[in-house]
Amino acid sequence: MAQAVDALRHGWPVVLPGGQVLLPVETAIGEARSARLLLSQDRAATLKLGNQREAARGMAPVLVRAAGALSSVEALPVADPSLDLANPLKGPFRAEPLDDPESAAAALELARIAGILPAFLVDPDDAGEPAGFDPADLPAFADPQRLQIATRAQLPVREMEDAEIVAFRSADDLREHAALVIGEPDGARTPLVRLHSECLTGDVFGSLKCDCGPQLDGALAAMAAEAREGGWGVLLYMRQEGRGIGLINKLRAYRLQDQGFDTVDANTRLGLPDEARDFPVAGRMLQLMNVASIRLMTNNPRKVAALEATGIEVTERVPHALPDNPYNADYLATKRDRSGHLLP
């Protein structure tokens, strides 16, 4: 799995167990060409193509054939909906049956893990030596039990000088998660915990398109207040940019939002899930820190359910709503109306 992810990010092909070679459209280098493309169902629907399983949605795979062989450069506007306005005319294409839809679906998931568009040239000529990819390895790759504490250190922060950072690493995953412990852990008091997914644009650059930066600051302030009253808190900083689709794809979704699509539709038009974060990893982080019971700062019932499924007791859901602004009001409404967040 790790080699296959690395291959896709470098633009190298992977081979499925049945011998089918897939070359990533986004990152491929060279002049390899193919008339067949593997796309997601949502992207195929935008192109007015149907799957042999018409009820399939989202990242279900669709095999399409173009009128002639395409290079990766020529196929990129087919794969990337954020380029649709600049490249409105595509095709003709026709959908074809898939011999192994399960392996094809696993390849699209592999692309998501690699942070690239879920689109491949199928059996292209002169693609180079492919890396092996066995879809059966996917569950083990995502197993949170492989996560371990790598190191920890004291880290005084603006909100509280008495803080410790704990870093986590898995042998298979390049993402390194972190936990910030505010105050002194106390077995007698249940900690205030926040799961915060990485957001470069909001956390670092102060983006007004989301509420991530204010949520991060507000959570740390609330935990510091707890610590001053004898309690403590844990902020889990999850390296899951763009709700698990990665920074580049998140920015592609922003381009689609500029064209009028909401957060959910922008993700699905990219052929990616609107929610792909790995919440069980957060449960594993808490277990490694010997935290069994928490008060969870969230407006998202999915986080509560996901942590409880890992054996973490959530004694209280603490609302974490902040004022909107003219740039994120629609985003917050979408979280409330389409993603089930409990917002005012």
Side-chain angles (χ1 to χ4, degrees), residues 16-329:
L16 299 178
Q20 191 170 68
V21 174
L22 302 177
L23 184 67
V25 167
E26 179 182 347
T27 55
I29 299 173
E31 296 300 321
R33 304 176 70 86
S34 175
R36 293 191 298 161
L37 301 174
L38 183 66
L39 304 171
S40 71
Q41 165 66 18
D42 278 323
R43 184 56 181 154
T46 302
L47 297 172
K48 303 298 188 288
L49 295 167
N51 195 359
Q52 65 274 15
R53 297 179 298 167
E54 293 182 1
R57 292 295 298 160
M59 291 187 71
V62 179
L63 179 65
V64 302
R65 181 180 290 275
L70 302 174
S71 69
S72 59
V73 173
E74 295 165 334
L76 185 60
V78 181
D80 186 352
S82 68
L83 302 178
D84 281 350
L85 292 182
N87 300 271
L89 299 179
K90 302 179 179 68
F93 302 103
R94 71 169 185 268
E96 296 188 342
L98 275 167
D99 293 332
D100 187 355
E102 288 74 21
S103 292
L108 295 184
E109 174 65 7
L110 185 72
R112 183 196 68 78
I113 292 171
I116 64 172
L117 289 168
F120 295 92
L121 296 178
V122 178
D123 289 328
D125 56 5
D126 300 323
E129 184 69 23
F133 168 56
D134 188 347
D137 292 337
L138 269 174
F141 185 81
D143 184 3
Q145 296 305 310
R146 296 176 67 82
L147 194 74
Q148 299 293 333
I149 292 177
T151 192
R152 57 204 312 160
Q154 296 301 307
L155 183 69
V157 296
R158 181 175 60 248
E159 294 291 348
M160 173 67 65
E161 293 181 2
D162 183 14
E164 180 188 37
I165 189 166
V166 184
F168 302 80
R169 184 165 57 196
S170 171
D172 297 321
D173 196 341
L174 292 178
R175 297 173 302 175
E176 296 169 335
H177 306 293
L180 189 68
V181 181
I182 303 289
E184 187 66 30
D186 179 359
R189 300 189 64 166
T190 303
L192 184 63
V193 171
R194 168 73 182 164
L195 274 64
H196 186 88
S197 297
E198 176 184 31
C199 178
L200 175 70
T201 50
D203 299 343
V204 178
F205 298 136
S207 168
L208 299 176
K209 286 178 68 71
C210 64
D211 58 345
C212 300
Q215 281 192 331
L216 177 61
D217 294 340
L220 291 175
M223 291 173 189
E226 289 272 323
R228 284 191 287 269
E229 296 296 325
W232 60 298
V234 181
L235 187 132
L236 303 179
Y237 197 82
M238 314 293 295
R239 303 295 302 280
Q240 302 183 130
E241 180 78 56
R243 294 192 179 186
I245 67 172
L247 176 62
I248 303 300
N249 283 328
K250 182 180 86 167
L251 298 183
R252 289 191 174 104
Y254 277 5
R255 289 188 65 176
L256 291 172
Q257 290 171 35
D258 291 340
Q259 297 171 21
F261 299 99
D262 68 21
T263 309
V264 173
D265 287 339
N267 279 33
T268 55
R269 285 181 75 86
L270 286 166
L272 295 164
D274 66 290
E275 178 59 270
R277 288 176 290 184
D278 190 357
F279 294 135
V281 169
R284 173 63 175 168
M285 292 167 71
L286 291 170
Q287 292 165 0
L288 290 170
M289 292 189 293
N290 298 313
V291 177
S293 180
I294 65 173
R295 297 161 52 230
L296 184 63
M297 291 187 75
T298 187
N299 304 316
N300 187 352
R302 293 186 192 180
K303 288 184 179 180
V304 176
L307 283 181
E308 289 180 335
T310 68
I312 301 296
E313 180 187 14
V314 180
T315 63
E316 180 186 2
R317 184 189 70 82
V318 180
H320 194 34
L322 297 166
D324 62 11
N325 67 59
Y327 299 95
N328 70 10

Side-chain angles (χ1 to χ4, degrees), residues 324-342:
D324 62 11
N325 67 59
Y327 299 95
N328 70 10
D330 289 342
Y331 164 78
L332 295 177
T334 299
K335 289 209 293 186
R336 180 192 64 217
D337 299 337
R338 301 195 63 185
S339 300
H341 287 219
L342 304 174

